[in-house]
């Protein structure tokens, strides 16, 4: 499973705060996703669902 962050990101940092193992804030001020280990799927989904601009996608 992979997490991606699209151009809607406003750089609020919520995802990185909820699931720092998957999401990080880049030097560009925006969030970046990555590979989602199976044991962190629930937390990554929580970050996705909490995103105020629906910028996060989870896909296989």
């Amino acid at each position: 499973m992979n997490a991606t962050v699209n151009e809607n990101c406003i750089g609020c940092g919520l995802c990185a705060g909820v699931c720092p193992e998957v999401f990080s804030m880049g030097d560009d001020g925006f969030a970046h996703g990555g590979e989602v280990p199976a044991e962190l799927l629930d937390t990554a989904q929580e970050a996705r669902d909490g995103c105020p601009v629906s910028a996060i996608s989870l896909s296989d």
Side-chain angles (χ1 to χ4, degrees):
M1 181 79 53
N2 286 304
T4 56
V5 181
N6 69 31
E7 67 278 354
N8 292 337
C9 179
I10 58 172
C12 73
L14 183 141
C15 57
V18 171
C19 191
E21 301 87 354
V22 174
F23 300 97
S24 61
M25 299 305 294
D27 291 338
D28 59 1
F30 297 106
H32 299 273
E35 187 172 337
V36 181
E39 66 272 12
L40 293 174
L41 182 57
D42 288 344
T43 309
Q45 289 172 332
E46 181 182 338
R48 177 199 61 198
D49 295 346
C51 179
V53 292
S54 300
I56 298 170
S57 298
L58 300 175
S59 60
D60 289 328

